[in-house]
Structures are given as structure tokens and as C-alpha cells.
């Protein structure tokens, strides 16, 4: 049985836990509960564990959006207009396949795809850390995310230094993409 069937429910749970975590974690750390980097870890893991990594990764991200905004609509003051959920849903269809594939490559390959997959996972934390440090001004969470951008590739890759180099380089590329997306969507 393909573990892909667990992807959407896992994403739903992640979305609900994200929404709940924002009200529990102190100070700037509540932004970690609403972390895009945390969400894509689910896509990475789903991709690593499934025979259909693109679909598995996408389902986790769509589930996370549905869980987050569904919980907000049903148990909070509502989710507001559809602008934010629409943007996040569109991003789910980009991040899901990307990180699902990265997880699959990390798990199955031995060469450059393996360490690139690990570096891609690290880079999303690097991007988020740079965003927190230089755009939002959240020093603690920024440093934490940047540290994860270094530690994750070193821990999960057999080719540690190559994975770390990918993580560092892609952190800045991803930050540029995030700045552009933020500007275009108004989020």
C-alpha cells in the first residue's frame, strides 16, 4: 500500500495544529507555528515515503491549507476573505511537488540528487530565517530557522558539505522568490 493515502489527512492535522499553535507559543515563536518551512517538511517526508512523491507532497500542502483555514472558519472568528487561502492554496501546488520530489530524491538517490534534496529542505529554513531576521525583525526565530538551515543538511545528507552549499545558495534564491510573491500577492 502506498503511504500517499496518509498525506492529505496528515496535512489537515498539520494545518489545525498550526492554527492552534499560534495561540499557544510565546512571542515571536508563535510565528514558527505558522511556518511555511514547517509545512514543507511534511511534503518532504511524504515524498520520501511514497511511490508517488509529487502527489503525496501536494496532498500534504493542500491538506495543511484546508486544515488551517477550515479550523479558522469553524472554531475561530472565521477566515476572512478568500484572498489568503487562495494564495496559500496556489503555493501548495508549487511547494508540494517541489518538496515531495526533493524528499524522494533524498531518500532514493546516492549522487547529486540526494544532497540536492537535503539542501532544498535546508534552504526553506534559510529563506524563512532570513525573512524573519531582515524583513520581520524577529531575531530569535530568525536565528533558529537559520541554524536549522545549517544543521538539517549536515544531519540528513551523506554528502554534508555539498548539501550545505545547496542550502546556503538556495536560501537566498528562495528569499528573492518570497519577496516577489509577497509583493505581488500583498501578503
Amino acid at each position: 500500500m502506498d503511504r500517499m493515502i496518509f498525506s492529505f489527512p496528515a496535512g489537515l492535522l498539520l494545518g489545525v495544529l498550526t492554527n492552534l499553535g499560534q495561540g499557544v507559543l510565546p512571542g515571536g515563536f508563535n510565528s514558527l507555528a505558522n511556518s511555511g518551512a514547517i509545512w514543507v517538511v511534511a511534503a518532504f517526508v511524504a515524498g520520501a515515503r511514497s511511490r508517488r512523491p509529487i502527489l503525496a507532497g501536494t496532498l500534504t500542502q493542500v491538506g495543511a491549507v484546508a486544515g488551517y483555514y477550515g479550523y479558522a472558519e469553524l472554531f475561530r472568528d472565521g477566515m476572512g476573505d478568500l484572498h489568503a487561502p487562495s494564495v496559500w492554496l496556489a503555493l501548495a501546488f508549487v511547494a508540494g511537488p517541489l518538496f515531495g520530489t526533493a524528499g524522494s530524491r533524498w531518500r532514493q538517490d546516492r549522487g547529486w540528487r540526494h544532497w540536492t534534496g537535503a539542501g532544498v529542505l535546508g534552504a526553506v529554513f534559510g529563506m524563512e530565517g532570513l525573512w524573519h531576521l531582515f524583513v520581520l525583525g524577529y531575531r530569535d526565530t530568525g536565528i533558529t530557522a537559520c541554524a536549522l538551515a545549517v544543521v538539517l543538511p549536515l544531519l540528513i545528507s551523506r554528502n554534508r558539505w555539498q548539501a550545505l552549499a545547496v542550502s546556503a545558495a538556495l536560501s537566498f534564491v528562495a528569499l528573492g522568490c518570497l519577496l516577489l510573491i509577497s509583493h505581488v500577492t500583498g501578503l
Side-chain angles (χ1 to χ4, degrees):
M1 174 173 68
D2 190 350
R3 294 180 181 118
M4 185 240 356
I5 64 170
F6 299 109
S7 299
F8 186 76
L12 276 173
L13 180 61
L14 179 61
V16 169
L17 291 174
T18 294
N19 202 308
L20 290 169
Q22 286 177 307
V24 175
L25 294 173
F29 282 98
N30 68 12
S31 66
L32 284 178
N34 194 26
S35 165
I38 299 296
W39 278 23
V40 299
V41 168
F44 186 90
V45 170
R49 304 297 299 165
S50 175
R51 290 188 302 261
R52 293 185 265 178
I54 291 173
L55 184 57
T58 303
L59 288 173
T60 63
Q61 300 308 280
V62 170
V65 173
Y68 181 87
Y69 287 103
Y71 184 86
E73 185 63 31
L74 294 173
F75 299 105
R76 294 208 176 216
D77 296 333
M79 67 177 171
D81 66 26
L82 293 178
H83 177 71
S86 298
V87 169
W88 288 112
L89 188 59
L91 290 172
F93 284 100
V94 175
L98 176 70
F99 286 92
T101 300
S104 174
R105 296 298 186 230
W106 165 78
R107 183 161 192 244
Q108 295 174 2
D109 290 325
R110 299 227 180 266
W112 68 270
R113 288 181 181 104
H114 165 79
W115 47 266
T116 300
V120 166
L121 184 61
V124 75
F125 284 95
M127 172 214 55
E128 195 153 294
L130 295 169
W131 178 266
H132 281 224
L133 284 169
F134 300 113
V135 176
L136 301 178
Y138 299 159
R139 186 172 180 261
D140 292 341
T141 56
I143 291 170
T144 300
C146 285
L148 286 170
V150 172
V151 170
L152 277 173
L154 294 176
L155 287 177
I156 69 170
S157 180
R158 290 180 289 275
N159 304 87
R160 290 175 177 87
W161 301 113
Q162 292 95 328
L164 183 58
V166 169
S167 178
L170 290 182
S171 292
F172 290 97
V173 171
L175 178 63
C177 292
L178 181 59
L179 289 166
L180 179 64
I181 290 168
S182 177
H183 177 74
V184 169
T185 64
L187 288 179

